[in-house]
């Protein structure tokens, strides 16, 4: 589409083809704040004129302060927009158009009002493997779609799995393509080398400074599925360096106290995802053929895993608190941390009994 960043002024144009060159203020009215990040705030926006590609008039508008962006951040924003412009999938947050004025960039994206997937799960009174399986299947299908098009997300985590509405528990949207990257060519699985992601979800090959590709997303999904079923993370340490050691060695276990009510098929899916060597880790397309994913609904509906909800609620509270203190890991800070520098900061995973017991048990067995 030919839109590019200029060093001083940034991006120009719109994500929708053929739209008139109207200023942002001529097309949208900004409303209440919906969220905020290190360099931006997301606000409710209402369009004054029709927006190509949708009948909606309400949007989530990401407002980014130009002055807060380094050249590296600017290039990352360009990359995020270029990738989001390409994607039209019902389970991916859509970018409709984007603008700039002298001080700010404005990204007009699809508004979803269902909140985070995990927030919905912890409010349930009953929870079955069928509900978990349906969510996991949607995530795998969506990521298979992206991977087939050479797009790696690189920051899959609970915060980036959103629900479209307050009534539908399965209509998931994958969000935040700030670290997404294109891979192509015969060696696409080893095309990237930047150290980036979020502690606890980052794949071991990234921590080991190895070249990588789409399969880092499979590892992250494996961590998410583990939490979704067991209620706590597979890798836990109060110390960032120790956490990375556990991930690089793949030290985790299915602690009987918390996993005895989870089916072997579900555990096997996780084992297939959390394979240290990415060359032996199956793709999302392959995992869609796994026995747990293809199991009949009646059987999975009868597998009550409500016992995991208490642990998940405790973990979720601590996750949200940590998220309020620590923003997403910038690529340059992740690189420093993996290299052994202290600038990355002291990271604390959920300190609940479940996570501690699980990781201690895994370390003892290994």
């Amino acid at each position: 589409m030919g839109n590019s960043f200029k060093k001083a002024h940034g991006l120009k144009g719109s994500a929708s083809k053929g739209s008139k060159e109207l200023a942002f203020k001529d097309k949208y009215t900004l409303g209440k704040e919906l969220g905020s990040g290190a360099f931006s705030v997301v606000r409710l926006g209402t369009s004054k004129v029709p927006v190509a590609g949708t009948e909606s008039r309400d949007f989530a508008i990401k407002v980014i302060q130009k002055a807060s962006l380094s050249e590296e951040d600017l290039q990352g924003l360009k990359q995020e927009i270029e990738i989001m412009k390409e994607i039209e999938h019902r389970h991916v947050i859509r970018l409709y158009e984007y603008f700039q004025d002298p001080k700010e960039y404005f990204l007009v994206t699809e508004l979803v009002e269902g909140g985070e997937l995990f927030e919905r799960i912890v409010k349930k009174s009953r929870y079955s493997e069928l509900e978990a399986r349906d969510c996991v299947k949607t995530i795998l299908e969506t990521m298979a779609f992206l991977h087939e098009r050479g797009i790696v997300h690189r920051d899959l985590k609970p915060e980036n799995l959103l629900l479209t509405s307050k009534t539908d528990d399965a209509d998931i949207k994958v969000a935040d393509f700030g670290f997404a990257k294109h891979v192509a060519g015969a060696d696409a699985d080893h095309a990237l080398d930047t150290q980036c992601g979020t502690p606890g979800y980052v794949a071991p090959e990234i921590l080991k400074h190895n070249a990588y590709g789409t399969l880092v997303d499979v590892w992250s999904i494996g961590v998410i599925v583990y939490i979704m079923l067991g209620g706590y993370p597979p890798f836990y340490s109060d110390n960032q360096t120790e956490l990375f050691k556990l991930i690089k060695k793949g030290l985790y276990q299915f602690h009987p106290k918390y996993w005895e009510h989870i089916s072997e098929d579900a555990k096997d899916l996780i084992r297939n995802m959390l394979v240290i060597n990415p060359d032996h880790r199956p793709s999302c397309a392959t995992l869609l053929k796994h026995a747990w994913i293809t199991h009949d609904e009646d059987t999975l509906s009868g597998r009550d895993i409500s016992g995991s909800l208490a642990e998940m609620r405790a973990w979720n509270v601590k996750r949200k608190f940590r998220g309020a203190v620590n923003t997403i890991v910038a690529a340059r800070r992740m690189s420093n941390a993996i290299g052994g520098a202290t600038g990355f900061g002291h990271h604390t995973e959920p300190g609940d009994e479940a996570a501690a017991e699980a990781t201690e048990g895994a370390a003892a067995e290994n």
Side-chain angles (χ1 to χ4, degrees):
M1 293 196 180
N3 294 308
S4 61
F5 275 35
K6 297 179 180 179
K7 280 192 175 182
H9 302 294
L11 61 95
K12 296 177 68 177
S14 168
S16 57
K17 294 181 180 179
S19 62
K20 295 181 179 179
E21 291 294 330
L22 294 177
F24 176 80
K25 65 180 181 179
D26 295 327
K27 292 194 70 174
Y28 294 93
T29 300
L30 287 175
K32 66 179 180 179
E33 181 177 318
L34 301 176
S36 61
F39 307 115
S40 64
V41 61
V42 179
R43 296 179 64 180
L44 178 66
T46 303
S47 63
K48 302 176 183 179
V49 296
V51 175
T54 180
E55 295 181 358
S56 177
R57 288 296 182 95
D58 292 327
F59 301 89
I61 298 180
K62 189 174 185 178
V63 183
I64 304 163
Q65 299 294 324
K66 288 184 176 182
S68 66
L69 300 180
S70 65
E71 183 64 26
E72 182 181 7
D73 296 328
L74 199 59
Q75 292 304 316
L77 179 60
K78 171 191 173 183
Q79 176 179 284
E80 178 179 4
I81 290 172
E82 289 298 322
I83 287 176
M84 289 190 72
K85 285 192 302 182
E86 299 176 26
I87 305 170
E88 288 189 26
H89 188 279
R90 64 167 293 191
H91 293 298
V92 175
I93 292 289
R94 186 171 177 184
L95 172 68
Y96 289 104
E97 51 188 352
Y98 51 93
F99 302 82
Q100 67 168 320
D101 66 17
K103 294 183 178 181
E104 297 168 318
Y105 298 116
F106 304 91
L107 276 59
V108 181
T109 65
E110 179 180 6
L111 176 66
V112 294
E113 301 182 278
E116 294 179 14
L117 171 62
F118 276 40
E119 290 290 326
R120 183 72 58 84
I121 292 174
V122 298
K123 292 178 181 177
K124 293 179 179 289
S125 57
R126 186 185 184 277
Y127 184 41
S128 71
E129 281 197 16
L130 176 61
E131 294 170 277
R133 190 283 303 271
D134 287 350
C135 290
V136 175
K137 184 178 180 182
T138 296
I139 297 167
L140 288 173
E141 288 174 340
T142 305
M143 295 313 301
F145 173 89
L146 296 177
H147 291 170
E148 286 169 7
R149 286 152 182 80
I151 298 172
V152 192
H153 189 283
R154 300 202 297 180
D155 196 30
L156 290 173
K157 56 184 177 180
E159 292 89 336
N160 292 336
L161 299 174
L162 308 178
L163 293 168
T164 58
S165 73
K166 297 178 181 178
T167 56
D168 191 331
D169 290 356
D171 195 1
I172 299 170
K173 297 280 188 179
V174 177
D176 196 345
F177 284 77
F179 282 162
K181 192 78 173 179
H182 271 295
V183 293
D187 200 26
D189 286 339
H190 304 89
L192 304 175
D193 58 12
T194 302
Q195 279 72 54
C196 64
T198 296
Y201 302 92
V202 65
E205 56 266 35
I206 293 179
L207 299 178
K208 293 176 181 179
H209 298 271
N210 294 339
Y212 62 88
T214 58
L215 293 170
V216 297
D217 288 341
V218 173
W219 177 279
S220 300
I221 298 170
V223 175
I224 291 168
V225 177
Y226 185 104
I227 299 169
M228 191 179 291
L229 294 172
Y232 59 94
F235 306 104
Y236 162 76
S237 177
D238 284 335
N239 180 276
Q240 187 75 74
T241 302
E242 293 303 314
L243 174 65
F244 285 168
K245 286 180 181 178
L246 293 172
I247 293 172
K248 287 189 283 188
K249 294 179 180 179
L251 292 180
Y252 76 95
Q253 72 161 353
F254 299 111
H255 199 283
K257 181 178 178 180
Y258 305 102
W259 285 86
E260 61 183 2
H261 60 297
I262 307 298
S263 69
E264 283 303 314
D265 281 345
K267 295 174 189 174
D268 186 68
L269 178 74
I270 295 171
R271 292 189 191 101
N272 275 269
M273 291 175 163
L274 298 183
V275 173
I276 298 175
N277 185 344
D279 293 334
H280 299 154
R281 194 181 306 151
S283 67
C284 288
T286 298
L287 289 166
L288 284 167
K289 302 173 185 176
H290 189 274
W292 190 65
I293 297 297
T294 60
H295 218 304
D296 67 279
E297 293 188 1
D298 289 342
T299 300
L300 292 180
S301 180
R303 293 177 180 169
D304 189 340
I305 58 173
S306 303
S308 299
L309 290 174
E311 294 302 328
M312 191 181 296
R313 290 185 188 111
W315 169 80
N316 195 53
V317 169
K318 292 167 184 174
R319 173 181 72 91
K320 298 297 288 185
F321 174 76
R322 188 177 72 249
V325 176
N326 299 319
T327 57
I328 193 169
V329 181
R332 58 186 179 275
R333 293 177 65 210
M334 174 69 97
S335 181
N336 287 340
I338 296 171
T342 58
F344 186 82
H346 184 76
H347 172 75
T348 302
E349 281 291 333
D352 57 281
E353 178 186 3
E357 286 189 16
T359 305
E360 287 170 4
E365 289 182 359
N366 289 273

